[in-house]
Amino acid sequence: MVKSNTVPLSHSAYVSIRSAIVSLAIEPGSFLLDRDIADLVGASRTPVREALARLEVEGWLESVPRKGYRVRLIDFGELPEVSEMIASLEAAAATRLAKTPNAVVFSMLRELNEQMVAGVEHENPDEFILLDDRFHRVLLGEAAHYPLSGGVYALLVDQLHRARLMMPPTVAEQDHHVNEHRLLILSMELGDSQAASLLSRSHRMRIVERLSRLMVQGHEADESAPAGQLIVPRPKSRMSLRRLRETRQEP
């Protein structure tokens, strides 16, 4: 019997919606109706409902009676715990690479880091963050072969990615970031597993420390914001759900 390689419509809808949420094309706090999403992704309402239910289980959406689903606000209070789990997985991966060097992986990491340098020069923080995510996914490539750690890692990184897009790093912070990457790659190439682990962990935790600091500053400016949650004015370049739909319909 020949197995079908057709991707279920519910999974395609899930991937499309999740990607839009993670990239902030669909903004935090937005309400989603299955009929609107069905039109957007080009699927019937049944697979879309299945996709929305899956996204609710994963924590991206919350069900609101008689209103449909709402995209969860970014809870900055959760980020330290999320980042700690990410840092632990990445530190373990860096340790393994230091003990068992892989020239191909090091070359990929170095190439991605140089692309990030170009992103700094072109003042494109969104592209910088995207490339940084790819850098760390390559670093964790070994663990990603295991469904549990790989799937959990992807979910955690996507949660952090959304917060980082809300508060993109400055040019100076981006420069410091790529320099830390260079030190991490060098420590792994030299086989210094202890340094690689420490550099990897401190590098990741520095990101969430910055976000937490900015969140506190935001609360000081807006005392009405819910504890742990803050809606940061997004850059005008980001697309709304309506604009995403219009873009899909353009020839």
Side-chain angles (χ1 to χ4, degrees):
M1 181 177 179
V2 179
K3 293 184 178 180
S4 173
N5 292 323
T6 303
V7 177
L9 289 176
S10 60
H11 181 72
S12 296
Y14 161 82
V15 171
S16 296
I17 301 167
R18 175 169 163 167
S19 296
I21 292 173
V22 172
S23 67
L24 298 184
I26 299 179
E27 301 173 21
S30 298
F31 281 96
L32 306 181
L33 297 176
D34 54 13
R35 63 174 179 270
D36 292 336
I37 297 298
D39 291 340
L40 179 64
V41 302
S44 65
R45 293 170 70 173
T46 298
V48 166
R49 286 170 182 162
E50 294 174 0
L52 293 173
R54 180 178 173 185
L55 289 163
E56 181 185 16
V57 171
E58 290 187 354
W60 296 108
L61 304 175
E62 53 189 358
S63 180
V64 180
R66 295 184 296 279
K67 288 189 176 181
Y69 289 93
R70 180 171 59 194
V71 179
R72 282 191 61 194
L73 299 179
I74 298 173
D75 191 340
F76 286 83
E78 295 178 351
L79 292 186
E81 183 178 358
V82 168
S83 294
E84 179 60 40
M85 289 187 281
I86 293 173
S88 295
L89 288 169
E90 291 178 347
T95 298
R96 283 194 298 272
L97 280 170
K99 291 181 177 179
T100 311
N102 187 320
V104 174
V105 172
F106 295 151
S107 177
M108 292 172 64
L109 292 174
R110 189 168 281 109
E111 181 179 350
L112 283 167
N113 205 43
E114 291 309 309
Q115 291 178 28
M116 291 172 67
V117 172
V120 175
E121 294 173 350
H122 292 107
E123 298 184 0
N124 189 342
D126 283 10
E127 180 68 14
F128 181 91
I129 293 171
L130 181 62
L131 289 169
D132 185 49
D133 278 358
R134 290 177 184 169
F135 178 98
H136 288 277
R137 289 175 196 269
V138 170
L139 174 65
L140 197 85
E142 188 174 337
H145 290 301
Y146 301 93
L148 178 59
S149 59
V152 170
Y153 178 79
L155 180 61
L156 295 172
V157 168
D158 282 348
Q159 290 176 354
L160 183 59
H161 181 89
R162 205 164 60 125
R164 295 180 70 191
L165 286 177
M166 278 290 195
M167 299 177 175
T170 64
V171 170
E173 289 169 336
Q174 292 175 50
D175 281 334
H176 185 70
H177 204 83
V178 296
N179 285 332
E180 288 188 333
H181 280 179
R182 292 188 180 109
L183 289 174
L184 175 58
I185 295 170
L186 180 61
S187 67
M188 292 187 294
E189 287 179 324
L190 294 175
D192 191 337
S193 59
Q194 183 176 4
S197 177
L198 290 173
L199 284 168
S200 176
R201 180 178 292 278
S202 62
H203 171 72
R204 179 57 83 177
M205 295 309 295
R206 205 179 327 275
I207 295 173
V208 75
E209 288 169 3
R210 172 185 176 273
L211 293 175
S212 297
R213 184 175 65 254
L214 292 175
M215 183 198 72
V216 170
Q217 294 172 357
H219 274 295
E220 290 175 349
D222 182 9
E223 296 180 355
S224 65
Q229 294 184 339
L230 184 65
I231 300 180
V232 182
R234 62 189 182 87
K236 294 181 179 179
S237 61
R238 304 213 189 284
M239 290 191 294
S240 64
L241 180 57
R242 178 181 298 174
R243 176 57 187 152
L244 187 65
R245 184 184 297 109
E246 292 171 350
T247 301
R248 183 181 178 87
Q249 293 173 347
E250 290 174 357

